[in-house]
Amino acid sequence: MNDLALLLTPEGRALLDEVRDTAPADELAVATRLRRDHPAELVSAALGQARLRQRAAAKFTAADAGRMFFTPNGVEQSTRTSVASYRAERFKGLGVTSVADLCCGIGGDAIALGRAGIRVLAVDRDPLTAAVARANAEALGLGELIEVREADVTEVDTGGYDAVFVDPARRGGRGRIFDPEACSPPLSWAIEAARGAPHAALKVAPGIPHEAVPADAEAEWISDGGDVKEAVLWFGTGAGPVRATLLPGPRTLLGKRLPDPTVRPVGRYLYEPDGAVIRAHLVAEVAEEVGGGLVDATIAYVTADELRPTRYASAYEITDQLPFNVKKLKALLREREVGTLTVKKRGSAVEPEELRKKVKPQGPNAATVFLTRVAGAPTMLVGRPA
């Protein structure tokens, strides 16, 4: 709290601007110089905050990160801007004008909601975290739309709000928490809070089992740039039970409750569904879209004889199919003069870097090798992006 208070003073803000681009290797020299004219505590706080802002630029825009305030946990656990903005727009599309953001953290979601024109009550029980969220709302000119309250979320009356958003803390003293009931607050409490609001969204871990999703909720898995970021349980949307959303876009694939695709021989093309599609169990929807089947009943690779456009999977043209054999792969790559090798795996224990070292690719050409199973047998599929 003291560090934040120091940084919010005119001297602290000026010092933050001065150390903004300090490289880690230069910190000692910069700190030594600045301590001649500024308190040592303030210099340390400013350099520490500059490091956090540099890290946060990967989640927030560089312009926003350069004005915001962070804690180490806040940088790690906050929602990236692309995901928070998408969710805010979805709330807005539901006609929501006010949201109670429970467990708001440093305010990433509250900021996105405010920028969408939605009034926000942002609540966190940690004094420093709440103070940082308040400072961030002010720094980005959203103080009039975002009210930050330091309180236990289980004691907050959300009756006057159109929607509730809950992002339970999934980290404890020993690291990440995998049991939803061990989160703070527990998932069961969050579900009841959601059911008491006209609309609600609960942020949960992407690995949540499908059987743990309440029957009255819509489950959405979200990826950004191909990386699965989170799952959300929505209430009061009137939508279907499952969806996968890919950012940027957004591109949203809705579940149709299709049966599992059939297993078929490897065709000319291989489709690698996005991670959100796989987590949402919507591989069958992709297979239907491209007219394909699975290479193996337990592997989420779709194969087809024709190339068809899809926004939910990456397509590759397969040139070779080999039983798993490093020597054969090495010989094939040497013959094709492959020097740039991308290794992907699904259903294989072999590590990509380990394989790359063994085959020692050399040459001007590029290829992709998939380490997987085909009809139960360890297989290597070689190809290139279609």
Side-chain angles (χ1 to χ4, degrees), residues 2-13:
N2 189 47
D3 282 358
L4 179 63
L6 290 171
L7 294 174
L8 290 174
T9 64
E11 183 182 8
R13 292 179 185 275

Side-chain angles (χ1 to χ4, degrees), residues 157-189:
D157 180 10
T158 61
Y161 294 84
D162 297 338
V164 168
F165 173 63
V166 189
D167 182 5
R170 291 186 296 280
R171 284 191 178 274
R174 297 184 178 180
R176 189 174 294 277
I177 296 171
F178 295 97
D179 178 6
E181 286 307 299
C183 294
S184 179
L187 180 60
S188 56
W189 178 89

Side-chain angles (χ1 to χ4, degrees), residues 87-107:
R87 183 164 36 241
E89 288 301 318
R90 192 162 181 208
F91 267 126
K92 188 175 180 179
L94 291 170
V96 168
T97 61
S98 60
V99 173
D101 178 2
L102 308 181
C103 308
C104 68
I106 62 169

Side-chain angles (χ1 to χ4, degrees), residues 47-341:
L47 286 170
Q49 191 61 221
R51 284 196 301 273
L52 292 174
R53 286 178 167 183
Q54 290 167 8
R55 284 174 53 195
K59 283 190 172 183
F60 300 84
T61 65
D64 282 354
R67 291 186 289 165
M68 293 171 66
F69 296 87
F70 300 95
T71 64
N73 284 341
V75 172
E76 186 171 347
Q77 298 177 28
S78 59
T79 304
R80 64 180 51 235
T81 295
S82 55
V83 177
S85 298
Y86 161 72
R87 183 164 36 241
E89 288 301 318
R90 192 162 181 208
F91 267 126
K92 188 175 180 179
L94 291 170
V96 168
T97 61
S98 60
V99 173
D101 178 2
L102 308 181
C103 308
C104 68
I106 62 169
D109 280 282
I111 289 166
L113 289 164
R115 283 178 165 165
I118 296 172
R119 181 172 57 88
V120 185
L121 170 64
V123 183
D124 203 285
R125 69 179 180 182
D126 179 69
L128 174 58
T129 302
V132 170
R134 187 175 297 110
N136 286 337
E138 294 292 341
L140 298 180
L142 296 168
E144 292 186 3
L145 276 172
I146 301 173
E147 174 195 349
V148 179
R149 187 180 303 175
E150 179 193 329
D152 185 330
V153 297
T154 64
E155 299 174 357
V156 173
D157 180 10
T158 61
Y161 294 84
D162 297 338
V164 168
F165 173 63
V166 189
D167 182 5
R170 291 186 296 280
R171 284 191 178 274
R174 297 184 178 180
R176 189 174 294 277
I177 296 171
F178 295 97
D179 178 6
E181 286 307 299
C183 294
S184 179
L187 180 60
S188 56
W189 178 89
I191 289 172
E192 290 309 308
R195 286 172 173 158
H199 306 285
L202 311 181
K203 183 176 172 180
V204 295
I208 184 172
H210 279 238
E211 55 268 24
V213 175
D216 56 338
E218 172 211 314
E220 178 178 34
W221 278 262
I222 303 172
S223 68
D224 188 12
D227 294 328
V228 181
K229 295 303 178 184
E230 63 183 57
V232 185
L233 304 182
W234 290 89
F235 293 79
T237 64
V242 178
R243 68 171 61 195
T245 296
L246 286 56
L247 303 174
R251 294 164 285 156
T252 296
L253 180 63
L254 301 177
K256 300 180 181 179
R257 293 191 174 95
L258 298 177
D260 292 339
T262 58
V263 176
R264 52 151 290 171
V266 176
R268 183 176 176 183
Y269 296 98
L270 186 77
Y271 295 85
E272 181 184 29
D274 183 89
V277 171
I278 295 172
R279 293 275 191 165
H281 295 180
L282 298 181
V283 175
E285 279 72 6
V286 170
E288 181 186 63
E289 190 173 47
V290 302
L294 299 179
V295 300
D296 185 277
T298 63
I299 303 295
Y301 282 140
V302 175
T303 186
D305 297 318
E306 297 179 4
L307 180 63
R308 295 186 185 179
T310 175
R311 301 187 299 165
Y312 306 108
S314 300
Y316 296 83
E317 183 177 11
I318 299 303
T319 56
D320 301 271
Q321 178 177 342
L322 305 163
F324 183 82
N325 185 301
V326 176
K327 287 185 178 179
K328 288 185 178 180
L329 178 63
K330 186 175 182 179
L332 177 66
L333 297 177
R334 189 187 309 119
E335 178 187 333
R336 303 281 172 81
E337 297 184 302
V338 172
T340 302
L341 182 66

